[in-house]
PDB file of all heavy atoms in Angstrom:
ATOM      1  N   LEU A1172      34.142  -8.631 -27.153  1.00  0.00           N
ATOM      2  CA  LEU A1172      33.815  -9.624 -26.097  1.00  0.00           C
ATOM      3  C   LEU A1172      33.653  -8.874 -24.693  1.00  0.00           C
ATOM      4  O   LEU A1172      32.554  -9.224 -24.136  1.00  0.00           O
ATOM      5  CB  LEU A1172      34.917 -10.640 -26.007  1.00  0.00           C
ATOM      6  CG  LEU A1172      34.576 -11.685 -24.979  1.00  0.00           C
ATOM      7  CD1 LEU A1172      33.470 -12.529 -25.345  1.00  0.00           C
ATOM      8  CD2 LEU A1172      35.947 -12.553 -24.748  1.00  0.00           C
ATOM      9  N   LEU A1173      34.454  -7.956 -24.394  1.00  0.00           N
ATOM     10  CA  LEU A1173      34.241  -7.239 -23.080  1.00  0.00           C
ATOM     11  C   LEU A1173      33.015  -6.437 -23.087  1.00  0.00           C
ATOM     12  O   LEU A1173      32.364  -6.355 -22.146  1.00  0.00           O
ATOM     13  CB  LEU A1173      35.567  -6.410 -22.898  1.00  0.00           C
ATOM     14  CG  LEU A1173      36.808  -7.175 -22.587  1.00  0.00           C
ATOM     15  CD1 LEU A1173      37.987  -6.195 -22.351  1.00  0.00           C
ATOM     16  CD2 LEU A1173      36.643  -7.948 -21.359  1.00  0.00           C
ATOM     17  N   PHE A1174      32.757  -5.760 -24.284  1.00  0.00           N
ATOM     18  CA  PHE A1174      31.481  -4.969 -24.388  1.00  0.00           C
ATOM     19  C   PHE A1174      30.296  -5.996 -24.237  1.00  0.00           C
ATOM     20  O   PHE A1174      29.299  -5.526 -23.492  1.00  0.00           O
ATOM     21  CB  PHE A1174      31.473  -4.322 -25.719  1.00  0.00           C
ATOM     22  CG  PHE A1174      30.187  -3.552 -25.977  1.00  0.00           C
ATOM     23  CD1 PHE A1174      29.962  -2.263 -25.285  1.00  0.00           C
ATOM     24  CD2 PHE A1174      29.156  -4.026 -26.869  1.00  0.00           C
ATOM     25  CE1 PHE A1174      28.765  -1.648 -25.497  1.00  0.00           C
ATOM     26  CE2 PHE A1174      27.965  -3.437 -26.995  1.00  0.00           C
ATOM     27  CZ  PHE A1174      27.776  -2.130 -26.322  1.00  0.00           C
ATOM     28  N   VAL A1175      30.232  -7.085 -24.818  1.00  0.00           N
ATOM     29  CA  VAL A1175      29.146  -7.964 -24.734  1.00  0.00           C
ATOM     30  C   VAL A1175      28.987  -8.442 -23.223  1.00  0.00           C
ATOM     31  O   VAL A1175      27.860  -8.541 -22.697  1.00  0.00           O
ATOM     32  CB  VAL A1175      29.218  -9.190 -25.619  1.00  0.00           C
ATOM     33  CG1 VAL A1175      28.323 -10.268 -25.360  1.00  0.00           C
ATOM     34  CG2 VAL A1175      29.185  -8.731 -27.116  1.00  0.00           C
ATOM     35  N   VAL A1176      30.163  -8.811 -22.615  1.00  0.00           N
ATOM     36  CA  VAL A1176      30.114  -9.187 -21.181  1.00  0.00           C
ATOM     37  C   VAL A1176      29.568  -8.086 -20.277  1.00  0.00           C
ATOM     38  O   VAL A1176      28.806  -8.330 -19.395  1.00  0.00           O
ATOM     39  CB  VAL A1176      31.487  -9.603 -20.770  1.00  0.00           C
ATOM     40  CG1 VAL A1176      31.641  -9.755 -19.143  1.00  0.00           C
ATOM     41  CG2 VAL A1176      32.022 -10.936 -21.421  1.00  0.00           C
ATOM     42  N   GLN A1177      29.968  -6.879 -20.665  1.00  0.00           N
ATOM     43  CA  GLN A1177      29.476  -5.749 -19.874  1.00  0.00           C
ATOM     44  C   GLN A1177      28.040  -5.548 -19.963  1.00  0.00           C
ATOM     45  O   GLN A1177      27.231  -5.295 -19.037  1.00  0.00           O
ATOM     46  CB  GLN A1177      30.202  -4.453 -20.184  1.00  0.00           C
ATOM     47  CG  GLN A1177      29.735  -3.189 -19.507  1.00  0.00           C
ATOM     48  CD  GLN A1177      30.566  -1.966 -20.001  1.00  0.00           C
ATOM     49  OE1 GLN A1177      31.544  -2.084 -20.660  1.00  0.00           O
ATOM     50  NE2 GLN A1177      30.060  -0.932 -19.652  1.00  0.00           N
ATOM     51  N   VAL A1178      27.555  -5.794 -21.174  1.00  0.00           N
ATOM     52  CA  VAL A1178      26.156  -5.444 -21.393  1.00  0.00           C
ATOM     53  C   VAL A1178      25.278  -6.679 -20.762  1.00  0.00           C
ATOM     54  O   VAL A1178      24.309  -6.342 -20.159  1.00  0.00           O
ATOM     55  CB  VAL A1178      25.795  -5.444 -23.057  1.00  0.00           C
ATOM     56  CG1 VAL A1178      24.350  -5.529 -23.291  1.00  0.00           C
ATOM     57  CG2 VAL A1178      26.339  -4.217 -23.575  1.00  0.00           C
ATOM     58  N   VAL A1179      25.711  -7.821 -20.885  1.00  0.00           N
ATOM     59  CA  VAL A1179      25.010  -8.962 -20.239  1.00  0.00           C
ATOM     60  C   VAL A1179      25.015  -8.835 -18.715  1.00  0.00           C
ATOM     61  O   VAL A1179      23.954  -9.054 -18.111  1.00  0.00           O
ATOM     62  CB  VAL A1179      25.704 -10.368 -20.656  1.00  0.00           C
ATOM     63  CG1 VAL A1179      25.222 -11.497 -19.779  1.00  0.00           C
ATOM     64  CG2 VAL A1179      25.460 -10.601 -22.185  1.00  0.00           C
ATOM     65  N   LEU A1180      26.191  -8.380 -18.212  1.00  0.00           N
ATOM     66  CA  LEU A1180      26.204  -8.227 -16.694  1.00  0.00           C
ATOM     67  C   LEU A1180      25.309  -7.127 -16.305  1.00  0.00           C
ATOM     68  O   LEU A1180      24.581  -7.200 -15.318  1.00  0.00           O
ATOM     69  CB  LEU A1180      27.709  -7.891 -16.343  1.00  0.00           C
ATOM     70  CG  LEU A1180      27.956  -7.587 -14.813  1.00  0.00           C
ATOM     71  CD1 LEU A1180      27.591  -8.998 -14.044  1.00  0.00           C
ATOM     72  CD2 LEU A1180      29.373  -7.165 -14.585  1.00  0.00           C
TER      73      LEU A1180
END
Side-chain angles (χ1 to χ4, degrees):
L1172 179 66
L1173 290 176
F1174 176 75
V1175 169
V1176 167
Q1177 178 180 347
V1178 169
V1179 169
L1180 183 64

